[in-house]
Amino acid sequence: KNKNEEIEETIIYVYSIDEKTGKEVNELAQENKLGKTTILISNLRNSAYRRKDVVVRSFFIKNPMIKLIYAGSHAKLIAIKTKQGNFYTCNTSANMTSNSRIEDFIIINNESDFNTEKEFIETIDKYVTQKELAVYDFDGEKIKGENKFKTHKK
């Protein structure tokens, strides 16, 4: 982020996020440095990830600055809208974890791409929260109707 730019909105799609990174994202959101923040995290989990995900989920569901959505997803993306009129989208192979793997990142500044991602996350949110679907979080707990992990709407 350019230190002269102020973030108005952040959209994050992630398959996996570790405790350290989850804590950092949570703190940035609490300090309103990410603006309106929506995080789509995968509910596709095995037991090896359960403890880590419970800890990260506890950060996000207690934070009124974050809307958290669970869905079967393997997407990894960060989209940022700034008050100065920039629209950054970063598509990546990387999860939000600390590791030494080689990953790729494609970063563009394009309003149309940002709006596409915003429309996509809004569609997923409606699909998960407004339909009577058999949707499960990573812990195997059924979610019906209103998404109980959502903590706010702006």
Side-chain angles (χ1 to χ4, degrees):
K1 170 184 158 179
N2 177 333
K3 61 183 169 184
N4 296 321
E5 286 191 278
E6 195 175 340
I7 296 175
E8 184 175 323
E9 183 173 2
T10 300
I11 299 166
I12 299 171
Y13 311 151
V14 64
Y15 179 76
S16 179
I17 184 167
D18 65 19
E19 186 174 341
K20 179 181 181 229
T21 307
K23 194 175 197 175
E24 290 170 356
V25 168
N26 187 58
E27 288 171 2
L28 288 169
Q30 281 180 320
E31 296 168 4
N32 202 24
K33 292 183 179 176
L34 300 178
K36 175 185 173 189
T37 304
T38 305
I39 300 174
L40 168 64
I41 190 166
S42 179
N43 65 353
L44 306 172
R45 285 287 174 258
N46 61 41
S47 59
Y49 289 96
R50 180 173 287 166
R51 185 198 166 281
K52 174 186 75 169
D53 286 342
V54 167
V55 170
V56 170
R57 178 177 73 172
S58 71
F59 294 146
F60 295 155
I61 64 173
K62 293 176 186 172
N63 189 335
M65 298 303 293
I66 295 175
K67 177 191 274 188
L68 181 61
I69 303 167
Y70 279 93
S73 173
H74 197 256
K76 299 162 197 109
L77 172 136
I78 299 173
I80 295 171
K81 175 182 178 182
T82 70
K83 291 182 178 178
Q84 288 70 29
N86 285 303
F87 298 86
Y88 302 110
T89 303
C90 175
N91 289 284
T92 180
S93 64
N95 285 303
M96 295 183 83
T97 59
S98 301
N99 67 65
S100 59
R101 293 180 210 110
I102 296 171
E103 302 284 3
D104 67 320
F105 297 85
I106 299 170
I107 302 169
I108 57 174
N109 184 355
N110 182 286
E111 183 175 4
S112 178
D113 288 334
F114 176 88
N115 289 336
T116 298
E117 299 306 337
K118 183 172 179 158
E119 184 178 319
F120 176 75
I121 196 76
E122 289 170 350
T123 301
I124 295 297
D125 186 34
K126 286 178 189 172
Y127 186 73
V128 170
T129 61
Q130 295 178 6
K131 304 277 185 189
E132 289 295 322
L133 302 172
V135 178
Y136 297 84
D137 73 6
F138 63 82
D139 208 18
E141 189 173 338
K142 191 170 187 178
I143 303 168
K144 280 177 84 174
E146 189 168 327
N147 186 340
K148 66 182 178 179
F149 298 110
K150 192 175 354 178
T151 59
H152 78 95
K153 279 194 176 188
K154 279 195 165 190

